[in-house]
Amino acid sequence: MDKTPEIDVFGDLPESSSAERNKAAKDDPREWARFLAKTIDFSLAQILTFVTVFLLSFGYGIVFVGLMGWPFDESLLTGPIFMGVYLFLHAVLFVFAEAFCISVFGGTPGKTLMGIRVASVTGRRLGFGSSLKRSFSSVMAGLGFGIPILNLITMIYQYNKLTSDGAVFWDKVDSLQYLTHPVAAWRWVIAIGAFVLIRIIELSGQFL
């Protein structure tokens, strides 16, 4: 009699033990689930980056332009220099935000949606230091700090590493565990829909 549980489209994999989920993480790295989770998280962090840039711009206007009488330099808020600073700031904020979520909650919004959890070898939550090293490594080697073209190259390279080896090097930071398991169909629908919406917004921004 086949005792393999089926995936309920309205829920997660039923009656799956921790051992079964850990084994599934080794046998099936779920590359696309990880990709969608990271894309969603990296895009959600744009909210934090936007708020930070707004506050910095507001402070610049109040303090340096308003109080100190400096001339307003519009080039500081536009052009390639601004974009470079924005991408760098976004990468830094994302590293700290992801590390915080993993150390406190064991995952991020995207990872939770796709049935992914990061833990220590004992199954406990990672400390903030280990989470920070892991997040920095993933942003550097996996996302190319969000720099166009470079991030495409790094993502393709790490995808090939994940499919061939079952892990990428930041999975092994401080001997952490990358626990993952299949999830319901509705989670995939939400994740794919979010990915498409993100790409539409990005393309729209280039023509506005």
Side-chain angles (χ1 to χ4, degrees), residues 28-65:
D28 182 9
R30 301 181 67 229
E31 303 90 345
W32 290 107
R34 293 181 60 159
F35 169 75
L36 289 172
K38 181 68 76 174
T39 301
I40 291 171
D41 290 334
F42 199 68
S43 298
L44 284 176
Q46 292 274 9
I47 299 173
L48 181 60
T49 307
F50 178 82
V51 171
T52 302
V53 169
F54 174 80
L55 293 176
L56 290 174
S57 301
F58 184 76
Y60 168 75
I62 293 295
V63 177
F64 293 100
V65 178

Side-chain angles (χ1 to χ4, degrees), residues 100-178:
F100 171 81
C101 288
I102 290 175
S103 62
V104 174
F105 306 108
T108 60
K111 286 178 172 57
T112 300
L113 177 65
M114 300 310 296
I116 297 169
R117 187 168 67 89
V118 181
S120 67
V121 289
T122 60
R124 296 179 179 273
R125 290 173 184 165
L126 286 182
F128 183 74
S130 296
S131 299
L132 196 63
K133 285 192 289 184
R134 178 204 166 277
S135 296
F136 176 79
S137 298
S138 69
V139 169
M140 175 187 66
L143 293 177
F145 294 108
I147 300 173
I149 300 179
L150 176 61
N151 64 346
L152 179 62
I153 295 173
T154 56
M155 284 191 290
I156 292 174
Y157 175 78
Q158 297 300 340
Y159 173 83
N160 291 331
K161 289 287 293 182
L162 189 59
T163 54
S164 61
D165 301 341
V168 285
F169 83 91
W170 61 85
D171 291 345
K172 304 172 184 177
V173 171
D174 291 346
S175 301
L176 62 83
Q177 294 187 83
Y178 204 93

Side-chain angles (χ1 to χ4, degrees), residues 63-116:
V63 177
F64 293 100
V65 178
L67 297 180
M68 300 181 66
W70 288 18
F72 178 74
D73 188 354
E74 188 176 349
S75 65
L76 293 176
L77 302 177
T78 58
I81 295 179
F82 171 78
M83 287 305 302
V85 173
Y86 184 90
L87 289 174
F88 174 78
L89 180 62
H90 180 56
V92 171
L93 291 175
F94 174 77
V95 167
F96 280 91
E98 185 184 53
F100 171 81
C101 288
I102 290 175
S103 62
V104 174
F105 306 108
T108 60
K111 286 178 172 57
T112 300
L113 177 65
M114 300 310 296
I116 297 169

